[in-house]
Amino acid sequence: MTSRHALNDRLRELGPRRATAVANNKGGTGKTTTAVNVAAIAAAMGHSTLLVDLDDQGSATKWLGHSPNNTDLVHVFRDDRPLDEVVVPTAIERLELVRASAELADADRQFGAEAGVQHALLSALEHAAARDWVVIDCPGDLGLLTIMGLAAADDVLIPLAAGAMELEELPKLITLIDKVRRRLNPALHVSGVLPCRVTVYGKNTSRVAADVLDTLRQHFPSELLTTVIHESTRHGEAFSAQQPISWYEPGGTGDREYRAAVAELLLERGAVAVHA
Ligand SMILES: Nc1ncnc2c1ncn2[C@@H]1O[C@H](COP(=O)(O)OP(=O)(O)OP(=O)(O)O)[C@@H](O)[C@H]1O
Ligand SMILES: [Mg+2]
């Protein structure tokens, strides 16, 4: 009989099992908060997890107690430096990090004309040690780095702050995902739309947030996660404390909500069956 461990070893030999790009061109929608918390919870559940910080602002890197460096990812993308050489451990068991590189701010100009650069992250991951789950924190635009993240991913998780302005921007991201699917990565799919920063008045979800959720339900009937992440000052506090929300406030609302989101994402690929 194949044991769970043997099955996991076999999956590791087969290469990275899942790569999820956390993307939304609108700034401040909860991408980094989602990427860090999803990756940390996945690691705590037993999945070997690698968080790749593609945003030169380096918020995910700082959240996990590291400092962005100048060039790690630039060397990986421009000079084919092995990704494993720039992977660093974090305080969380089984969670590793590729730190943001400040020089990525200029990525389009620096190496946008390099042959095959849109596939550089995919190629780097294919040549790296296998992990169960690679979570890619994309910057808040639709430039080269987001395209590289989408090209390297099996699926896209879209955190969406539940406001009317955020909805207006969404079609641009969906158009880019379609284009990447047609031209670069036919298997790419949206694994989840995660409403974030949902405000509550009294016992009810605020009127604007409720309208946004209704609209999302119509447009993404199967992709909209049932979990929503409510607005909470705890998330900012957790960043300052350099701890994912599940470590900062175990059992709190943010912890419970992000755990529920991870459970939905794992079910989407049947991964829970391996680790349950
Ligand atoms: N559920 C939440 N409740 C309250 N504040 C939140 C929540 N999620 C994120 N925030 C706060 O909103 C701000 C933006 O969040 P975050 O950095 O995760 O977004 P982002 O989409 O990664 O932004 P950017 O596009 O700049 O990379 C941060 O100050 C963060 O602490
Ligand atoms: Mg971010």
Side-chain angles (χ1 to χ4, degrees):
M1 193 178 83
T2 311
S3 74
R4 190 187 64 160
H5 292 298
L7 186 53
N8 280 340
D9 288 347
R10 177 76 191 116
L11 285 166
R12 281 194 190 102
E13 282 165 22
L14 293 172
R17 188 154 144 238
R18 178 178 188 173
T20 299
V22 182
N24 191 331
N25 48 312
K26 188 91 175 76
T29 58
K31 291 180 288 297
T32 299
T33 304
T34 297
V36 166
N37 288 317
V38 165
I41 289 167
M45 289 174 75
H47 302 273
S48 61
T49 307
L50 177 67
L51 179 63
V52 179
D53 188 353
L54 277 189
D55 188 349
D56 63 276
Q57 295 180 88
S59 305
T61 300
K62 292 174 201 160
W63 200 325
L64 292 173
H66 284 276
S67 300
N69 68 94
N70 281 336
T71 53
D72 276 359
L73 273 173
V74 174
H75 288 148
V76 170
F77 294 154
R78 196 188 53 203
D79 310 324
D80 292 327
R81 185 174 177 198
L83 191 74
D84 284 327
E85 286 184 11
V86 301
V87 167
V88 295
T90 72
I92 291 158
E93 199 181 349
R94 285 180 295 273
L95 177 59
E96 296 175 293
L97 170 72
V98 174
R99 294 169 295 178
S101 293
E103 286 188 18
L104 284 183
D106 201 18
D108 289 79
R109 198 187 59 78
Q110 273 203 74
F111 41 81
E114 293 244 339
V117 72
Q118 294 180 338
H119 278 129
L121 178 58
L122 175 66
S123 166
L125 287 170
E126 281 174 350
H127 291 94
R131 276 102 184 165
D132 294 335
W133 203 350
V134 178
V135 178
I136 305 165
D137 186 20
C138 294
D141 60 41
L142 298 179
L144 175 61
L145 291 164
T146 297
I147 294 172
M148 288 166 86
L150 294 175
D154 299 292
D155 60 281
V156 198
L157 171 61
I158 306 175
L160 192 112
M165 277 203 259
E166 279 73 13
L167 261 193
E168 300 228 325
E169 284 296 309
L170 195 54
K172 291 182 197 157
L173 174 62
I174 300 302
T175 301
L176 180 69
I177 292 170
D178 282 342
K179 207 174 259 183
V180 169
R181 191 187 290 128
R182 275 185 278 115
R183 295 179 176 174
L184 298 171
N185 182 5
L188 183 67
H189 69 282
V190 176
S191 53
V193 175
L194 176 63
C196 291
R197 312 201 60 171
V198 174
T199 43
V200 177
Y201 292 133
K203 286 194 172 154
N204 302 311
T205 301
S206 78
R207 178 70 190 272
V208 174
D211 287 350
V212 169
L213 292 177
D214 280 347
T215 309
L216 287 173
R217 218 166 276 124
Q218 283 162 24
H219 285 86
F220 300 96
S222 54
E223 296 89 349
L224 182 65
L225 300 186
T226 54
T227 305
V228 304
I229 309 295
H230 283 98
E231 178 84 15
S232 162
T233 53
R234 298 289 191 204
H235 290 291
E237 292 170 15
F239 171 81
S240 301
Q242 298 187 334
Q243 288 180 326
I245 194 70
S246 303
W247 279 253
Y248 182 71
E249 194 185 27
T253 306
D255 171 31
R256 283 186 278 112
E257 290 174 346
Y258 271 111
R259 279 182 193 281
V262 170
E264 283 195 69
L265 290 168
L266 287 171
L267 279 171
E268 189 253 349
R269 287 285 291 260
V272 155
V274 176
H275 288 278

